[in-house]
Amino acid sequence: MDNINREYIDEYISSLIEDEGNELKDFREYCEERNLPIIHKEVGQFIKLVINQLNAKNIIEIGTNVGYSSIFMSKVMKEGKVVTLERSERFYKEALKNISDFGLENNIQVYFGDAVDILDEVEGNFDMAFIDAAKSYYRIFFDKCLKKMKPGGIILSDNVLYQGMIASDELVVRRKKTLVRNLRNYLEYISHDKRFVTSVLPLGDGLAVTLIN
Ligand SMILES: C[S@@+](CC[C@H](N)C(=O)[O-])C[C@H]1O[C@@H](n2cnc3c(N)ncnc32)[C@H](O)[C@@H]1O
């Protein structure tokens, strides 16, 4: 129970999603066995829809981890480029190895460093951004990505309902109070600023979808 959807709903939605292909399925299972925080299957399916709708060729991701979502997005795109940023050296190195094992080193560029510090240096004009890193910095990531987005582009922010805590004070645990405050402020910002249209979906741990006008 993730306090967002009932388990049987998540399981049913998941059961409708086609497997990503053997290689990627094995990689997902390997990541899940290690409890790595990779995207939920339903979130992956929604990302696939957005990539197809936008005919996205350039994607930026904040939070690579071991590369599952960047490899997934790259495979969905078929051609085009994913630029992804990771601050943990261990995960960065592991992502490079996984990307190379999938033969995608020419399609995915991994930057090592804290996105707060290095995002401005990343060059590009992106159709889609996927924010999936330290939740207290989502506003900073968003504003920095915004400068690099094409008009009509979409910014996806994952985990924005954070185990239900964002929507209900009763679920908030003391040590997460700052994170909850920051994510609530972030959702207010992307929901009410007239430059964007945002829809918050109870998919996975909560996914915000923001269209840049
Ligand atoms: C939820 S995981 C990303 C999962 C990945 N997108 C996937 O689905 O396969 C978040 C990752 O973001 C990284 N991270 C957190 N804050 C960051 C920051 N400020 N800059 C760069 N990476 C960050 C963490 O080290 C972690 O590996």
Side-chain angles (χ1 to χ4, degrees), residues 123-137:
E123 284 183 14
N125 199 217
F126 298 99
D127 306 293
M128 196 189 108
F130 180 49
I131 300 176
D132 190 19
K135 282 157 258 310
S136 284
Y137 298 100

Side-chain angles (χ1 to χ4, degrees), residues 61-74:
E61 174 185 64
I62 319 299
T64 319
N65 198 250
V66 298
Y68 176 82
S69 53
S70 50
I71 291 168
F72 174 83
M73 294 190 287
S74 179

Side-chain angles (χ1 to χ4, degrees), residues 123-203:
E123 284 183 14
N125 199 217
F126 298 99
D127 306 293
M128 196 189 108
F130 180 49
I131 300 176
D132 190 19
K135 282 157 258 310
S136 284
Y137 298 100
Y138 271 26
R139 167 97 192 231
I140 296 175
F141 300 146
F142 184 97
D143 284 339
K144 286 182 185 287
C145 284
L146 186 59
K147 295 182 193 153
K148 302 175 192 297
M149 297 300 292
K150 290 182 191 164
I154 284 188
I155 301 182
L156 299 173
S157 315
D158 203 10
N159 308 105
V160 290
L161 295 176
Y162 199 66
Q163 299 164 20
M165 289 185 212
I166 308 308
S168 167
D169 281 339
E170 281 171 26
L171 296 172
V172 178
V173 294
R174 186 185 285 267
R175 66 179 197 289
K176 297 292 181 188
K177 275 191 167 171
T178 306
L179 181 156
V180 168
R181 192 178 53 241
N182 289 337
L183 268 182
R184 284 179 181 167
N185 288 340
Y186 177 66
L187 288 177
E188 291 285 328
Y189 166 56
I190 59 174
S191 299
H192 297 139
D193 193 303
K194 297 281 179 272
R195 290 172 296 169
F196 328 125
V197 180
T198 293
S199 179
V200 179
L201 307 177
L203 266 188

Side-chain angles (χ1 to χ4, degrees), residues 32 50 52 79 85 142:
E32 285 173 351
V50 173
N52 278 282
E79 49 171 332
L85 289 73
F142 184 97

Side-chain angles (χ1 to χ4, degrees), residues 43-116:
V43 171
Q45 184 66 12
F46 189 82
I47 290 174
K48 189 174 182 179
L49 183 152
V50 173
I51 291 175
N52 278 282
Q53 170 64 25
L54 292 174
N55 192 18
K57 295 279 176 274
N58 287 290
I59 295 177
I60 182 163
E61 174 185 64
I62 319 299
T64 319
N65 198 250
V66 298
Y68 176 82
S69 53
S70 50
I71 291 168
F72 174 83
M73 294 190 287
S74 179
K75 281 181 159 287
V76 170
M77 275 201 290
K78 296 186 186 79
E79 49 171 332
K81 195 149 187 181
V82 178
V83 171
T84 179
L85 289 73
E86 175 55 55
R87 73 176 172 191
S88 147
E89 190 169 6
R90 179 167 71 91
F91 289 141
Y92 163 74
K93 287 186 173 158
E94 210 175 319
L96 288 182
K97 183 185 177 304
N98 291 328
I99 289 163
S100 150
D101 287 349
F102 274 86
L104 291 170
E105 54 273 53
N106 294 326
N107 306 64
I108 304 175
Q109 184 177 5
V110 192
Y111 282 77
F112 170 53
D114 192 316
V116 173

